[in-house]
Amino acid sequence: AFRTLASNTQWKVRRTLSYALHALAAILGPEHTEAELLPTFEQFLKDLDEVKVGVVQSVRAFLSALSPASRLKYLPAVVEMRAETDNWRFRHTLAAQLSGLGAIYPKSATLETLVPLALDLCTDAVAEVRIAAISQVGDLLSLLFEGADAAAEAELLSGALGDFLDNIARMAAMQSCYRRANCVQIVASLAVALRPEIVDARLLKVLVPLADDPVANVRLSLARLVRNQLLASPAYSELPSTLAMAESLRRDSDRDVLQTIHGP
């Protein structure tokens, strides 16, 4: 009966099943899921968007029901979900699951595959996708530091994770004002999740010139970060970078920036 439904010619029938696939996997367990449901999972990933959306929306839940080896095998399929469609809603749905995906994969797989995916989604052309990814990226990266001693942390920062942070930092100097504002928004997410020493050394210093950015919306994004997060945190409030940005923003000529940095 299941295979009959999965191959039904009516896409609405297949769509209903695609939304339920992760729930069936949770009931069946890894062995039966891999034997009975994986072929259907693969089939639905290649189906119409109206059907595919069901498995994309619950991909983290479905993959968590697989054995670790099978889960790892299907990680490239997660990346392909972003590349294989122009439907921004799929990218949005995927972005909202980034930290959840990181929690079910080894750190090495997260670093190699999910962190680059996060960078792509955080800089997506569609604002809704960026917002969803930025809300997840801090928690995703924090997973990499769990249980890491000083040596392991240094190794992370000298490798792929350091490259990720460098890519974010470079956005602060880009010609596009959208990219500069995007940089501030990503740093706001990372400032909550990573150690202040890392955020200050790798990211905050490059934001200081943005306090005098020619575009008011960039300064407004920075004012929100400085007022709502940095000045409100004992770990950040006395840092030279924070104080320098706050001082410049308090002399701003834009009404919205001044209102934001000074608060109500």
Side-chain angles (χ1 to χ4, degrees):
F2 174 81
R3 291 189 177 89
T4 301
L5 291 173
S7 58
N8 194 285
T9 56
Q10 298 295 319
W11 66 264
K12 290 183 179 179
V13 175
R14 302 196 306 277
R15 174 187 170 94
T16 300
L17 189 57
S18 76
Y19 274 98
L21 209 59
H22 69 288
L24 292 172
I27 295 169
L28 292 177
E31 183 177 349
H32 291 296
T33 293
E34 290 168 20
E36 302 295 334
L37 301 187
L38 268 180
T40 302
F41 175 74
E42 294 178 358
Q43 171 192 326
F44 285 166
L45 283 178
K46 300 172 184 176
D47 211 318
L48 301 172
D49 279 1
E50 291 82 357
V51 177
K52 183 177 179 179
V53 64
V55 290
V56 174
Q57 184 169 302
S58 57
V59 65
R60 186 266 178 200
F62 181 84
L63 292 175
S64 68
L66 304 180
S67 66
S70 293
R71 194 181 303 150
L72 200 58
K73 176 184 175 183
Y74 282 88
L75 183 55
V78 174
V79 179
E80 288 169 10
M81 288 177 190
R82 181 201 176 277
E84 286 183 348
T85 180
D86 293 329
N87 190 331
W88 68 265
R89 289 178 176 82
F90 283 176
R91 303 196 303 277
H92 178 268
T93 300
L94 189 58
Q97 300 177 76
L98 279 171
S99 63
L101 286 164
I104 65 172
Y105 279 103
K107 292 180 180 180
S108 57
T110 297
L111 193 59
E112 181 180 341
T113 305
L114 293 178
V115 168
L117 175 63
L119 179 61
D120 286 343
L121 293 170
C122 282
T123 57
D124 195 271
V126 177
E128 287 85 347
V129 178
R130 295 196 303 272
I131 292 168
I134 288 168
S135 72
Q136 295 278 306
V137 70
D139 289 340
L140 177 68
L141 295 195
S142 69
L143 292 169
L144 298 171
F145 288 100
E146 284 185 357
D149 57 18
E153 185 177 287
E155 184 177 353
L156 279 170
L157 293 172
S158 66
L161 184 55
D163 293 340
F164 173 88
L165 296 177
D166 288 344
N167 281 328
I168 301 304
R170 279 193 286 271
M171 291 170 62
M174 288 185 175
Q175 288 189 342
S176 167
C177 64
Y178 300 106
R179 283 287 187 244
R180 299 196 301 275
N182 196 190
C183 173
V184 175
Q185 293 155 1
I186 296 171
V187 173
S189 178
L190 298 180
V192 176
L194 303 185
R195 284 201 303 109
E197 294 83 359
I198 296 172
V199 176
D200 184 40
R202 305 298 289 259
L203 298 169
L204 288 191
K205 288 180 173 60
V206 303
L207 296 187
V208 174
L210 297 185
D212 297 308
D213 195 275
V215 178
N217 279 344
V218 176
R219 304 196 307 276
L220 182 59
S221 292
L222 188 64
R224 292 190 184 108
L225 168 61
V226 173
R227 172 72 184 183
N228 299 336
Q229 290 182 236
L230 302 185
L231 291 175
S233 167
Y236 288 106
S237 60
E238 298 301 323
L239 293 176
S241 298
T242 298
L243 297 174
M245 289 185 285
E247 183 180 356
S248 294
L249 291 167
R250 285 171 181 145
R251 299 193 307 264
D252 204 278
S253 59
D254 184 87
R255 179 180 177 182
D256 291 335
V257 174
L258 287 173
Q259 185 175 15
T260 299
I261 194 63
H262 286 291

